[in-house]
Amino acid sequence: MKATPLSIEGAWLFEPTTFADHRGSFTAPFQGPAFRDALGFDLTVAQTNQSVSARGVVRGVHYADVPPGQAKYLYVAAGAVRDVVVDLRVGSPTFGRVEAVDLDAASMRAVYLSEGLGHAFQALADTTVVGYLCSTSYTPAAEHGISPLDPALALPWAEGVEPVLSDKDRAAPPLDEALAAGALPTWESCRARLAELRG
């Protein structure tokens, strides 16, 4: 498995090998040893999630309070997505930076996001299935969102595909409002969390 850091520290792209023959194919989208070699610690999985989305559906931008935060490892089991990472860590050298990666079931590429990073995706095909490995369980009071349509972020959603949002995501504040309200995680708290994970 190939592991490549993205331009936002704490975000990684993982590319597994797919083995195909006359029966079909086999892929291991998450591999513990490859993850540990890249990140320097093991991924603790407290919860797994799966979403099924119609074409155009946007989920996010979501993030959790740090500590403890919620790291995510995501891959597409069916269909395709435009996956987006947003650096929401106040004080980070790349605060506000956005990076997008296209993921699909054919390649089984995966994205890892460390605690404090914002995450969103747009489904590019009907019945798109996304699997999530989450480092902590869902805690409603600690979960927050940023508007995926914030013009200041200008997230790179697919051209010609109308974004379909939940009421909650549509009502989420833009980045500048969340920053002014003190609702974003800090670079210091996220670095402390990483040091804790690495022992």
Side-chain angles (χ1 to χ4, degrees), residues 7 13-14 18-19 35-37 48 63 74 77 87 93 99 106 108 127 132 139 142 152 166 190:
S7 67
L13 176 67
F14 287 86
T18 294
F19 300 93
F35 182 92
R36 183 173 183 80
D37 286 348
T48 61
Y63 68 99
L74 303 102
D87 192 348
E99 184 153 359
M108 295 295 284
T127 320
Y132 314 64
T139 305
S166 69
C190 294

Side-chain angles (χ1 to χ4, degrees), residues 51-55 76-81 121-130:
S51 65
V52 181
S53 303
R55 185 174 187 266
V76 175
V81 304
F121 70 79
Q122 182 179 38
L124 303 179
D126 283 330
T127 320
T128 287
V129 179
V130 177

Side-chain angles (χ1 to χ4, degrees), residues 63-193:
Y63 68 99
D65 291 333
V66 181
Q70 187 182 67
K72 298 176 183 177
Y73 187 101
L74 303 102
Y75 64 93
V76 175
V81 304
R82 171 73 47 81
D83 198 84
V84 175
V85 182
V86 183
D87 192 348
L88 301 177
R89 303 165 298 187
V90 179
S92 165
T94 56
F95 176 74
R97 180 177 293 177
V98 172
E99 184 153 359
V101 179
D102 287 342
L103 307 176
D104 57 61
S107 68
M108 295 295 284
R109 300 196 310 167
V111 167
Y112 171 76
L113 304 95
S114 65
E115 293 83 353
L117 296 178
H119 176 258
F121 70 79
Q122 182 179 38
L124 303 179
D126 283 330
T127 320
T128 287
V129 179
V130 177
Y132 314 64
L133 308 181
C134 302
S135 65
T136 57
S137 298
Y138 175 67
T139 305
E143 299 288 330
H144 309 286
I146 298 295
S147 172
L149 303 181
D150 182 352
L153 286 175
L155 300 183
W157 303 127
E159 293 184 13
V161 181
E162 183 67 23
V164 179
L165 277 63
S166 69
D167 291 342
K168 181 178 179 181
D169 287 344
R170 191 171 294 280
L175 180 61
D176 61 350
E177 287 186 18
L179 177 61
L184 300 175
T186 66
W187 176 241
E188 291 78 10
S189 64
C190 294
R191 296 293 291 173
R193 177 61 177 158

